[in-house]
Amino acid sequence: MSTAAPTATNALQVTDPRTGKQYSLPIQDGAIRAADLRQIKTGPEDFGLMAYDPAFLNTASCRSKITYIDGDKGVLEYRGYPIDELAEKSTHLEVAYLLLHGELPSKAQLAQWTHDVTYHTIVHANVGKLIEAFRYDAHPMGVLQSAVAALSTFYPDARDIKSPENRRLQMLRLIAKMPTIAAMAFRHRLGLPFVQPNNDLSYTGNFLSMLFRMTEAKYTPNPVIERALDVLFILHADHEQNCSTNAMRAVGSSHTDPFSAVSASIGALYGPLHGGANEEVLRMLAEIGSVKNIPDVIKQVKEGKRLLMGFGHRVYKNFDPRAKIIKKLAYEVFEVTGKNPLLDIAVELEKIALEDEYFVKRKLYPNVDFYSGLIYQALGFPFEMFTVLFAIPRTAGWLSQWEEMLNDGEQKIARPRQLFMGPAHRSYVEMARR
Ligand code: SDX
């Protein structure tokens, strides 16, 4: 609430035409408080005005210092650091530390953080039994969401969300165990035994080992693949108030434990309009099958019969800076893995779409999900694993946003209101009279 007296420059002057009354709504940080609208009434019985904003198109739900996006300029910064610099110079674990703590770690802090994450990668043996209970073809996102929710039963102490030390411990467990559970879901699909974490490897290198180690005593990750996956993790780590982060904040606002809240976020990310899009992009490219079929797909999109998956964004109305970095990364990965044959279709589809008035008018550009799946497929992941690869790094973002919410004195349990459009009061009708 602004303390300065409202003036013409820092307050919205409104007149209610129903009563002729005038109101002064303070403007702060480019917004008015929706709660200030409640004073605008037609009489003492009136509840007062609300702001109606389905899907929160123009609603700021919080103040945050974590991630800044400029949708028109294609800017993405974590704690003020540009995403392209972090992708080039940092690592995912260092970025996770930055998101959670607000500053880049010192050498000693990074060493301690890396040690702590490394020594929390193992999961309880019963988590493995839980995963083995799923059908072989269970979608890994469903397995991941279930296993993460189950972790709340293995760590009942996680409910003590008011203790910073306890929150830190649970955050370590989640960031450390997500790759382990993801790899177990992957191995379960293939009927392969689980691979225990290897503490000698990096965060991403250990993930690759838990995924792909077969009979060799020690898995040696390909450095190009290890780095490419780490860069992809950096790019996916946070993205301000996206759908799954909104879920994390809303579910976390009831003061449940972080495992239950992250499980809810995984559920939100799973959707094809959100993180699930990376899987749908590859299905769409595989369905197109050849550059000559692109015009027909574009026609179907323009007829409203389908979405062009991997295109469009609620915030980016120019370009998604992550998509540019991933597109460049794809070529580096393909030097090692061989080119993904669907790349030509993706490049041609992007070219055609960006020249087509339908897409230009709607400001639809490739988003983070358009090229990432091409890399994941080239690395040997099935489509179903793609969104799991999004959830792993986003866990650091969800947790940083969750803790910021808990520490924000303005936040309470999330409980929106509604505009009731249903039937007026009426009495029960006996069956004989229906
Ligand atoms: C992520 O929010 C985040 O930050 C998310 C994310 C993150 O890091 O957390 O960036 C990750 O989720 C990226 C988005 C991945 N989803 C997809 O690629 C799915 C395809 N994209 C669309 O579903 C859509 O673009 C959204 C969901 C991403 C954004 O939807 P909006 O902001 O609600 O936009 P809209 O649906 O109101 O679309 C505006 C217009 C509509 O046309 P008209 O009704 O005006 O004629 O654009 C059209 C839409 O039909 N449109 C598309 C389209 N996306 C929007 N038309 C064809 N293909 C598309 N992909």
Side-chain angles (χ1 to χ4, degrees):
M1 194 72 166
S2 169
T3 50
T7 61
T9 55
N10 72 353
L12 201 62
Q13 309 301 325
V14 293
T15 301
D16 183 348
R18 302 170 297 176
T19 61
K21 282 186 181 175
Q22 294 191 327
Y23 301 86
S24 183
L25 307 180
I27 298 170
Q28 189 178 7
D29 302 323
I32 60 165
R33 298 181 76 92
D36 285 349
L37 296 172
R38 284 284 297 281
Q39 62 184 305
I40 303 176
K41 298 174 183 252
T42 55
E45 294 303 308
D46 186 354
F47 179 81
L49 285 186
M50 284 196 283
Y52 175 53
D53 189 11
F56 314 125
L57 282 164
N58 192 44
T59 292
S61 63
C62 63
R63 293 177 190 281
S64 180
K65 297 177 180 176
I66 299 170
T67 293
Y68 173 70
I69 300 174
D70 182 318
D72 294 326
K73 296 182 185 142
V75 170
L76 168 57
E77 295 171 348
Y78 294 159
R79 300 289 190 178
Y81 294 100
I83 192 65
D84 53 333
E85 286 186 37
L86 292 170
E88 184 190 341
K89 299 173 181 173
S90 189
T91 64
H92 175 61
L93 272 196
E94 182 175 76
V95 163
Y97 183 100
L98 170 66
L99 289 170
L100 289 167
H101 296 83
E103 298 296 337
L104 287 169
S106 66
K107 189 173 180 181
Q109 287 169 329
L110 182 58
Q112 185 62 55
W113 171 245
T114 304
H115 170 274
D116 292 348
V117 170
T118 300
Y119 283 84
H120 278 281
T121 50
I122 289 179
V123 297
H124 191 290
N126 288 4
V127 172
K129 290 178 182 154
L130 171 73
I131 292 173
E132 283 167 349
F134 284 89
R135 276 174 52 105
Y136 79 93
D137 59 353
H139 196 293
M141 280 297 277
V143 175
L144 182 68
Q145 184 175 16
S146 309
V148 168
L151 286 181
S152 69
T153 68
F154 289 92
Y155 303 110
D157 53 331
R159 292 172 65 90
D160 178 14
I161 51 113
K162 294 191 187 321
S163 154
E165 295 72 26
N166 187 49
R167 289 199 302 263
R168 200 55 78 217
L169 172 59
Q170 312 313 333
M171 288 175 178
L172 271 175
R173 284 170 167 160
L174 271 157
I175 290 170
K177 298 177 195 306
M178 285 289 278
T180 308
I181 294 170
M184 292 166 82
F186 175 76
R187 303 278 292 196
H188 175 64
R189 284 175 67 85
L190 299 172
L192 291 172
F194 301 141
V195 174
Q196 286 305 312
N198 177 344
N199 292 345
D200 298 334
L201 296 173
S202 72
Y203 185 78
T204 317
N206 173 46
F207 179 45
L208 289 167
S209 171
M210 293 189 290
L211 286 163
F212 299 122
R213 184 163 77 81
M214 298 308 276
T215 58
E216 65 273 34
K218 188 173 163 47
Y219 177 88
T220 306
N222 176 302
V224 174
I225 303 301
E226 184 177 5
R227 177 61 190 158
L229 204 48
D230 206 58
V231 171
L232 284 162
F233 281 4
I234 290 170
L235 297 172
H236 285 84
D238 192 54
H239 212 239
E240 58 128 287
Q241 305 312 314
N242 58 83
C243 179
S244 54
T245 296
N246 182 57
M248 184 75 190
R249 281 177 170 262
V251 171
S253 73
S254 73
H255 287 184
T256 188
D257 68 274
F259 298 100
S260 302
V262 166
S263 175
S265 302
I266 293 169
L269 189 72
Y270 194 179
L273 297 186
H274 191 12
N278 59 15
E279 173 180 345
E280 295 306 319
V281 168
L282 261 289
R283 294 187 191 283
M284 175 184 73
L285 294 174
E287 177 202 331
I288 292 171
S290 157
V291 171
K292 67 178 174 36
N293 298 329
I294 290 176
D296 186 43
V297 168
I298 296 288
K299 181 171 175 290
Q300 290 171 32
V301 170
K302 292 161 81 167
E303 289 167 351
K305 291 180 180 161
R306 65 190 296 171
L307 292 171
L308 193 61
M309 299 313 278
F311 266 69
H313 200 277
R314 174 65 56 77
V315 177
Y316 291 123
K317 298 304 176 190
N318 192 326
F319 62 91
D320 183 333
R322 301 167 297 178
K324 287 193 160 192
I325 298 169
I326 292 174
K327 184 177 180 180
K328 180 172 170 288
L329 193 63
Y331 288 93
E332 293 169 20
V333 169
F334 298 156
E335 285 293 315
V336 174
T337 62
K339 191 174 90 170
N340 188 323
L342 296 176
L343 176 67
D344 294 336
I345 298 173
V347 170
E348 182 63 13
L349 186 56
E350 177 187 9
K351 179 175 172 295
I352 293 172
L354 296 187
E355 292 166 355
D356 188 300
E357 177 54 22
Y358 180 92
F359 297 92
V360 172
K361 184 178 129 194
R362 291 167 175 78
K363 299 186 175 185
L364 302 178
Y365 296 88
N367 58 48
V368 67
D369 292 318
F370 188 64
Y371 282 103
S372 56
L374 287 167
I375 299 177
Y376 297 147
Q377 187 180 43
L379 296 181
F381 292 106
F383 293 168
E384 293 79 5
M385 277 294 289
F386 292 3
T387 311
V388 170
L389 298 171
F390 193 150
I392 293 171
R394 186 53 60 92
T395 301
W398 290 330
L399 290 170
S400 58
Q401 298 273 351
W402 168 71
E403 186 163 62
E404 185 176 66
M405 177 272 298
L406 291 175
N407 288 332
D408 182 343
E410 284 195 307
Q411 294 295 336
K412 296 177 175 220
I413 188 167
R415 203 270 183 230
R417 303 307 298 269
Q418 64 176 12
L419 304 182
F420 183 68
M421 312 303 278
H425 175 80
R426 55 183 173 169
S427 299
Y428 183 77
V429 178
E430 301 300 337
M431 183 59 77
R433 293 177 43 232
R434 289 180 199 167

